[in-house]
Amino acid sequence: MIDRPAAPELLEAMADTLSDVVMPACEGGPQHAARVVASLCRLLAREAADDGNGSALTTVELEEVLGEQGDLESLVTQLDQRLSGAKPDLSPAILELLRRSVERRLTIAKPDYL
């Protein structure tokens, strides 16, 4: 059975209600708080719509670049170790992986930025 509305749709509806109903009825601090919460709802909606695909793709790319298998957290730790110290590994493959990862995160956090 398909449950409707899905989480991204619910979060968007919450954001719209805050923006269209609550914010106009408020002033000052409460209005700002409603704006922040609406923005967070939209961010969470984009994360929910992504369904973890960005993390899965980053994991696969890290495995390829590092030549290691593992979960995202352990692979990020390995990458951090390669980027730390006196001689960081700034190979083209690692720089490209970092660029793609940042673009994926920006698409969720601030889609108008790209």
Side-chain angles (χ1 to χ4, degrees):
M1 184 163 120
I2 298 173
D3 293 328
R4 301 301 290 176
E9 295 163 326
L10 292 171
L11 287 161
E12 284 292 337
M14 291 166 55
D16 290 344
T17 300
L18 286 165
S19 295
D20 300 341
V21 177
V22 177
M23 282 175 40
C26 298
E27 292 180 3
Q31 187 178 56
H32 176 72
R35 182 178 295 113
V36 169
V37 173
S39 178
L40 291 172
C41 286
R42 288 189 175 97
L43 186 145
L44 290 171
R46 290 188 298 271
E47 271 189 1
D50 179 63
D51 203 24
N53 292 329
S55 295
L57 186 54
T58 299
T59 300
V60 169
E61 290 175 348
L62 281 165
E63 288 175 339
E64 290 173 3
V65 169
L66 299 173
E68 301 284 337
Q69 299 291 314
D71 61 23
L72 182 59
E73 186 176 339
S74 66
L75 293 166
V76 168
T77 299
Q78 289 180 45
L79 179 63
D80 286 346
Q81 290 169 350
R82 287 196 187 188
L83 294 173
S84 301
K87 288 190 165 189
D89 181 353
L90 298 175
S91 66
I94 286 181
L95 292 175
E96 179 60 20
L97 172 125
L98 292 171
R99 184 192 63 75
R100 286 191 308 266
S101 178
V102 167
E103 281 183 357
R104 279 193 291 275
R105 291 193 316 263
L106 275 173
T107 299
I108 291 171
K110 190 111 172 109
D112 296 336
Y113 185 79
L114 295 177

